[in-house]
C-alpha cells in the first residue's frame, strides 16, 4: 500500500518470496534499503517507489519477474549501480556493461542505473526508451542517434544534471508526455 515501508532507515534488504501485483507509490521512500528482489511474478511499480532511498544499489529480477507497468519515477534519489537478472527470465536481459535493463530482444531500454555516466549515447539498436527509464540518472549530455526512437513518458524525469540533448537532424522521433520533466539544468 501507499508508503508501506517509507522512512524505515534500518530496512536494508527486501526479498518478495510470493507473488505481489503492486508495489505502491513511495513504498520504500527514504529507507535504508540497499538491495531488493522484485516479486517473481508480474508486478506494477508505483510512482517514487524507491525515492530518496540513497543506499539502494541493487535491484534483482527472478526467472518469472515481469514489470507490468511503471507508474512514474522509480530510482530518483538512489545510488543504483546494478541490475541482476535471472538467466531463465524470458522478459529481460542486461546490456553488455550491465547498466541497462533491456527487453530480451535487446532493442528497448526498460530502466537504467542512476550512475549511467555523464555523457551517454543511446545505441542505434534501441527503438524505444521506456517510461521513467532514466529517472534520477546522472546523465549530463545525451545523444540519440536512432531517428525513429520512441521516448516514453517521464523517461528522464528528475535527471537533474541533464543539460544537453542531441537529437538526429532527420527524425520520426516520438517524445512522450513529460519526458524531460523536472530536469532543471536542461538548456539545449
Amino acid at each position: 500500500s501507499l508508503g508501506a515501508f517509507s522512512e524505515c532507515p534500518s530496512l536494508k534488504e527486501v526479498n518478495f518470496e510470493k507473488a505481489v501485483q503492486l508495489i505502491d507509490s513511495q513504498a520504500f521512500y527514504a529507507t535504508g534499503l540497499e538491495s531488493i528482489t522484485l516479486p517473481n511474478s508480474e508486478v506494477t511499480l508505483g510512482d517514487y517507489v524507491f525515492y530518496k532511498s540513497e543506499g539502494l544499489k541493487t535491484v534483482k529480477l527472478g526467472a518469472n519477474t515481469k514489470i507490468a507497468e511503471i507508474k512514474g519515477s522509480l530510482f530518483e534519489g538512489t545510488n543504483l549501480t546494478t541490475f541482476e537478472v535471472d538467466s531463465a527470465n524470458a522478459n529481460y536481459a542486461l546490456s553488455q556493461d550491465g547498466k541497462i535493463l533491456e527487453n530480451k530482444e535487446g532493442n528497448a531500454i526498460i530502466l537504467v542505473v542512476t550512475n549511467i555516466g555523464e555523457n551517454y549515447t543511446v545505441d542505434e539498436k534501441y527503438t524505444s526508451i521506456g517510461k521513467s527509464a532514466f529517472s534520477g540518472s546522472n546523465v549530463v549530455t545525451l545523444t540519440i542517434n536512432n531517428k525513429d526512437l520512441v521516448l516514453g513518458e517521464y523517461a528522464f524525469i528528475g535527471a537533474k544534471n541533464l543539460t544537453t540533448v542531441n537529437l538526429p537532424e532527420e527524425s520520426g522521433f516520438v517524445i512522450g508526455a513529460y519526458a524531460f520533466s523536472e530536469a532543471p539544468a536542461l538548456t539545449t
Side-chain angles (χ1 to χ4, degrees):
S1 68
L2 180 66
F5 299 97
S6 65
E7 300 185 60
C8 292
S10 297
L11 182 64
K12 302 290 183 201
E13 185 175 357
V14 172
N15 297 305
F16 288 97
E17 294 182 10
K18 300 202 181 224
V20 173
Q21 293 178 340
L22 171 67
I23 299 176
D24 210 350
S25 297
Q26 298 183 4
F28 297 100
Y29 166 79
T31 65
L33 200 61
E34 296 172 358
S35 174
I36 186 163
T37 301
L38 294 177
N40 203 22
S41 61
E42 189 166 312
V43 61
T44 295
L45 300 172
D47 197 21
Y48 294 102
V49 170
F50 304 106
Y51 187 56
K52 292 190 176 180
S53 288
E54 296 173 357
L56 182 62
K57 291 184 176 51
T58 305
V59 173
K60 301 174 186 176
L61 291 83
N64 297 310
T65 302
K66 182 176 183 185
I67 300 169
E69 182 180 2
I70 297 170
K71 300 245 182 193
S73 180
L74 287 181
F75 302 121
E76 191 173 345
T78 72
N79 287 299
L80 183 65
T81 57
T82 307
F83 290 107
E84 294 178 13
V85 179
D86 188 293
S87 61
N89 189 302
N91 302 300
Y92 306 109
L94 294 175
S95 61
Q96 286 185 322
D97 63 6
K99 292 184 176 186
I100 299 173
L101 179 67
E102 55 188 27
N103 65 347
K104 200 64 163 187
E105 295 78 23
N107 64 359
I109 295 174
I110 308 300
L111 294 166
V112 303
V113 298
T114 53
N115 187 18
I116 191 70
E118 290 186 4
N119 298 305
Y120 186 76
T121 299
V122 177
D123 192 294
E124 285 189 58
K125 73 177 188 171
Y126 294 117
T127 58
S128 68
I129 295 177
K131 186 174 184 178
S132 299
F134 283 78
S135 68
S137 71
N138 72 333
V139 66
V140 174
T141 301
L142 175 73
T143 301
I144 296 173
N145 293 322
N146 184 336
K147 66 179 180 61
D148 297 316
L149 185 79
V150 175
L151 188 60
E153 296 175 354
Y154 304 100
F156 291 87
I157 189 169
K160 297 189 182 340
N161 299 324
L162 183 62
T163 62
T164 305
V165 177
N166 300 307
L167 300 174
E169 286 185 31
E170 295 179 24
S171 178
F173 197 77
V174 176
I175 299 176
Y178 303 101
F180 296 98
S181 179
E182 298 176 35
L186 187 58
T187 58
T188 309

